Amino acid sequence: MTGKRALCVGINNFKNFPSAALRGCVNDANDMENLLNTLLGFKASEIVILTDAKATKANIMKNLQEMLEGAISGKYSHLVFTMSSHGTQVPDLSGDEPDRVDEAFCPYDLKEKKNDWDSEHIIVDDELRDLFIQLPEDIFLEVFLDTCHSGTGLKAIDLIWDRQTRYIPPPSLEVFKRVDGKRQRGLNKALLEKGMRQHILWAACRADQTSADANIDGDWHGAFTYYFCKEMKASQNKLTRNEILEKVREDLQEADYTQIPQLECEATVRNKNIG
C-alpha cells in the first residue's frame, strides 16, 4: 500500500524585507498540519513543515522534488502541498502568451535583482506546474495556496487595523507597469490543460483579489485557512469539497472579508469528500 506525503509551508518573516512581515502564516502551516494529522489520515512522519528561515526557495523546491520522486517510484499515492505567504507577480517568463503575467510566491529568502525579483529566490507558478505535470496520472495531488494573486482587488476594508494583505508588489515601477492589468492564467488551469485530472487547487481568493492575514479569535491566521480548518473540523470531513467551499465563502462574507476562495478541479472531485 502506497503512502501519503504533505509539505506545509508558512512564512511570516522575510530575510530581506523585514517591513513586509506577516503574522498568521506560521499558524496556517501548523493548523494545516494538525488537520491532516487528526482528520485526513496523515501520520506525523508523513508531514514536513517549513516555516520562516527554513522556508527558502531551495528548501521548498527540494522537498517538493522529493515528494515527486517518491510518487513516481510508487512510494506515495496522495500528495498535499500547502503554502501561506505573500504572493506577487512577475512578467510572463515562458513567453508563450505576451499578454499574460505569472503568479509568484514569496519564500523566506525573497530577493531583488536588476529591478525585478531574483529567479533564484522566488517561486513562479510555471515552476510548480512544470514540476507537478511530471506526476503519474494516478497520483492524487491537492494544493492549498493562501496568498494574494494580485494587488488590484485591494479595498479599504482590507486595510483595517486587524487585517493585512498577503501581497507584495513588484520591486520596481518598470516591472509594475509590465504586469499591471495583465491577464493571469493560473496554476491549476495549466495543469488541467495538460490532462492532470487528479490535481486539485484551493486558492484563498480570485486572481484579481487579495487574501487577508487577520486577527481572528485573539490570534493571527490566514482568513481562508482559518475558516477552512474550522468547517472541516465542524463537519468531521462529512461534507464534499464543494459544500466546504460554500461554507467557507459564507463565513468570510459574514465577517466582511472581500476575498472569494476558489476551488479548481473536475466536477466529480468537487462532489467528493477531501482525502
Side-chain angles (χ1 to χ4, degrees):
M1 180 179 178
T2 52
K4 303 178 180 182
R5 193 70 171 177
L7 175 63
C8 300
V9 178
I11 307 167
N12 285 342
N13 300 303
F14 300 85
K15 180 180 179 180
N16 301 307
F17 298 91
S19 63
L22 295 166
R23 286 172 279 192
C25 296
V26 171
N27 282 341
D28 285 357
N30 291 328
D31 288 345
M32 289 301 294
E33 186 272 342
N34 179 265
L35 187 72
L36 292 168
N37 183 229
T38 60
L39 195 61
L40 298 179
F42 281 73
K43 301 175 183 176
S45 60
E46 295 174 326
I47 307 170
V48 175
I49 299 181
L50 299 178
T51 59
D52 286 343
K54 293 182 179 179
T56 61
K57 176 179 180 176
N59 209 11
I60 294 169
M61 299 305 291
K62 171 178 172 288
N63 277 273
L64 288 176
Q65 184 66 39
E66 289 174 353
M67 288 171 59
L68 171 72
E69 292 171 358
I72 291 174
S73 70
K75 187 176 181 181
Y76 310 130
S77 61
H78 185 178
L79 305 178
V80 171
F81 172 47
T82 81
M83 184 164 184
S84 292
S85 180
H86 275 303
T88 187
Q89 295 165 292
V90 297
D92 176 28
L93 300 182
S94 59
D96 54 350
E97 296 183 55
D99 66 336
R100 205 188 87 230
V101 298
D102 286 322
E103 298 171 19
F105 311 98
C106 302
Y108 169 76
D109 55 330
L110 179 70
K111 186 178 179 182
E112 295 179 42
K113 184 178 181 180
K114 296 181 179 178
N115 294 323
D116 204 345
W117 298 122
D118 187 338
S119 62
E120 296 297 318
H121 300 281
I122 193 166
I123 300 172
V124 179
D125 59 356
D126 283 352
E127 296 177 273
L128 297 180
R129 179 199 64 202
D130 292 345
L131 184 72
F132 294 149
I133 62 175
Q134 300 176 55
L135 288 169
E137 290 189 5
D138 60 343
I139 300 299
F140 195 86
L141 170 69
E142 196 144 13
V143 178
F144 297 82
L145 300 175
D146 201 335
T147 66
C148 293
H149 300 294
S150 170
T152 57
L154 197 63
K155 296 182 180 180
I157 197 169
D158 298 320
L159 298 174
I160 60 178
W161 70 272
D162 61 349
R163 300 179 187 182
Q164 182 179 355
T165 60
R166 290 184 171 181
Y167 178 76
I168 292 181
S172 68
L173 180 60
E174 173 192 354
V175 175
F176 176 82
K177 289 180 177 179
R178 290 172 63 190
V179 303
D180 186 37
K182 298 295 192 301
R183 179 169 56 88
Q184 299 179 90
R185 179 173 57 179
L187 172 64
N188 211 52
K189 183 177 179 183
L191 290 174
L192 293 176
E193 287 170 354
K194 294 287 186 179
M196 309 304 291
R197 305 302 178 184
Q198 293 275 62
H199 294 178
I200 300 162
L201 174 66
W202 294 80
C205 63
R206 291 193 320 231
D208 60 346
Q209 291 183 322
T210 56
S211 298
D213 194 71
N215 191 323
I216 306 173
D217 290 340
D219 205 353
W220 287 78
H221 307 266
F224 163 75
T225 299
Y226 176 85
Y227 288 113
F228 175 81
C229 291
K230 173 190 170 185
E231 294 297 348
M232 285 291 294
K233 290 178 179 178
S235 71
Q236 287 297 295
N237 199 25
K238 294 179 180 178
L239 299 179
T240 66
R241 287 182 178 83
N242 206 48
E243 289 169 334
I244 289 291
L245 175 67
E246 291 306 313
K247 283 187 172 294
V248 173
R249 285 179 171 177
E250 289 171 5
D251 288 340
L252 288 165
Q253 184 177 18
E254 288 176 5
D256 293 318
Y257 291 93
T258 61
Q259 67 196 78
I260 303 174
Q262 306 296 300
L263 171 61
E264 297 184 27
C265 59
E266 285 204 314
T268 54
V269 182
R270 293 179 72 98
N271 294 318
K272 291 182 180 179
N273 294 24
I274 296 176

